[in-house]
Amino acid sequence: MPPSNNPVTDPSLTNIRCNVGGTSGISSKCSVKAGDTVTIEMHQQIGDRGCTAEGIGGAHWGPVLAYMSKVDDASTSDGSGGWFKIYQDTWSKYPTGDGSADWWGTKDLNFCCGKLSFGIPTNIPSGDYLLRAEAIALHAAQALAPNGAQFYMSCYQLTVTGGTGSVPPTVSFPGAYSAGDPGIHINIYQSLSTYVAPGPTVMAGGATKSPNVLTWSGNCAATSTVIGGSNPTTTAGTTRTTTAVTTTLSTSRTTTGPTTRTTTTSSRTTTTSSRTTTTSAGPGGCTASLWSQCGGIGWTGCTTCTSGAKCSVLNDYYSQCISA
């Protein structure tokens, strides 16, 4: 696991690959078949697998993306190889309001106990891979790095069987993103007409999703996807119904040394986990945790930060607790 839930804020650094300390793997690998469903899981705090809080709190709206990298040995790879995008859940226009009222991939996570599911493409060769799951928080993205967009990612070790075809064109991390990319340097508090996710388009055989989960679904997997190879044109969607899976035990990639993270998998389904940011504790004499919202136009939650943090104004719409 990463050492903390602090964001990566500079896409030009090697931490953008697999987070801080992400060059080290563990001995275990998750075995999946090409075409199987993988569920990524992201929560506010490291070690939290519960559904009582939003998966990503504090109005950290933005896209959720997934990449894979073909490697010789997933347990020793440092993420320096080529990456191709296999999934994205990005943006969809809400009928009224500004961009912060729109549907985002992170809002789907919030309604689905921090989980989103997608298929491993069938048209990639068998072998070892790193799976990189990422949520990009755009609440402060009006500014440039290191005070702008916040990146939250983890990498997981897979062995894929039953695949065919060849590895699609790849990008490198760092290199795939620039701090000035329109999907990274953006004011989401304006009325948006479109949103283009950073990085390459989704590979042919991958999946794209228009965010549309409208009600709390507890353990939903939000698997409604469109198979294709480009950013989707999105419109307001409808509620989707998904089915939870039964689970057994497995382990995921660690990014900081010998401590492993236990995750759950189902038959021919791999469940992996990541982490994102903290939320404010609510109005009325409360304190906001590190990286939570603590002010901004229309904000009615906590305005006092926890001990060791201070409330910093990022823009007119968002103030955030940062290290004092």
Side-chain angles (χ1 to χ4, degrees), residues 74-140:
S75 66
T76 59
S77 175
D78 62 1
S80 60
W83 296 86
F84 52 94
K85 188 187 290 183
I86 66 167
Y87 172 80
Q88 61 185 25
D89 182 356
T90 56
W91 169 88
S92 184
K93 181 68 178 176
Y94 190 75
T96 60
D98 59 24
S100 63
D102 290 346
W103 288 296
W104 291 95
T106 54
K107 290 187 179 182
D108 278 358
L109 281 172
N110 284 347
F111 285 120
C112 296
C113 191
K115 300 177 181 179
L116 287 179
S117 297
F118 48 88
I120 297 296
T122 59
N123 55 332
I124 59 173
S126 298
D128 275 14
Y129 288 85
L130 294 183
L131 171 67
R132 177 183 180 273
E134 173 184 47
I136 304 176
L138 300 175
H139 56 285

Side-chain angles (χ1 to χ4, degrees), residues 114-206:
K115 300 177 181 179
L116 287 179
S117 297
F118 48 88
I120 297 296
T122 59
N123 55 332
I124 59 173
S126 298
D128 275 14
Y129 288 85
L130 294 183
L131 171 67
R132 177 183 180 273
E134 173 184 47
I136 304 176
L138 300 175
H139 56 285
Q142 292 168 287
L144 290 170
N147 300 311
Q150 298 178 355
F151 305 87
Y152 301 92
M153 79 296 295
S154 287
C155 293
Y156 312 97
Q157 299 170 188
L158 305 182
T159 298
V160 176
T161 60
T164 61
S166 58
V167 174
T170 62
V171 296
S172 297
F173 285 104
Y177 298 166
S178 170
D181 287 347
I184 293 175
H185 186 212
I186 183 174
N187 175 13
I188 65 169
Y189 304 103
Q190 63 182 316
S191 180
L192 300 178
S193 59
T194 187
Y195 175 79
V196 179
T201 57
V202 174
M203 63 167 286

Side-chain angles (χ1 to χ4, degrees), residues 209-288:
K209 181 180 185 297
S210 176
N212 58 2
V213 182
L214 308 180
T215 58
W216 172 257
S217 302
N219 198 39
C220 78
T223 54
S224 302
T225 57
V226 178
I227 304 300
S230 62
N231 295 330
T233 300
T234 58
T235 57
T238 56
T239 302
R240 308 289 181 173
T241 301
T242 59
T243 303
V245 295
T246 57
T247 60
T248 55
L249 289 180
S250 173
T251 57
S252 70
R253 178 181 179 86
T254 182
T255 58
T256 57
T259 301
T260 60
R261 169 74 175 255
T262 300
T263 61
T264 57
T265 64
S266 69
S267 177
R268 299 190 64 184
T269 301
T270 301
T271 303
T272 56
S273 60
S274 179
R275 95 291 173 267
T276 54
T277 62
T278 58
T279 59
S280 57
C286 60
T287 57

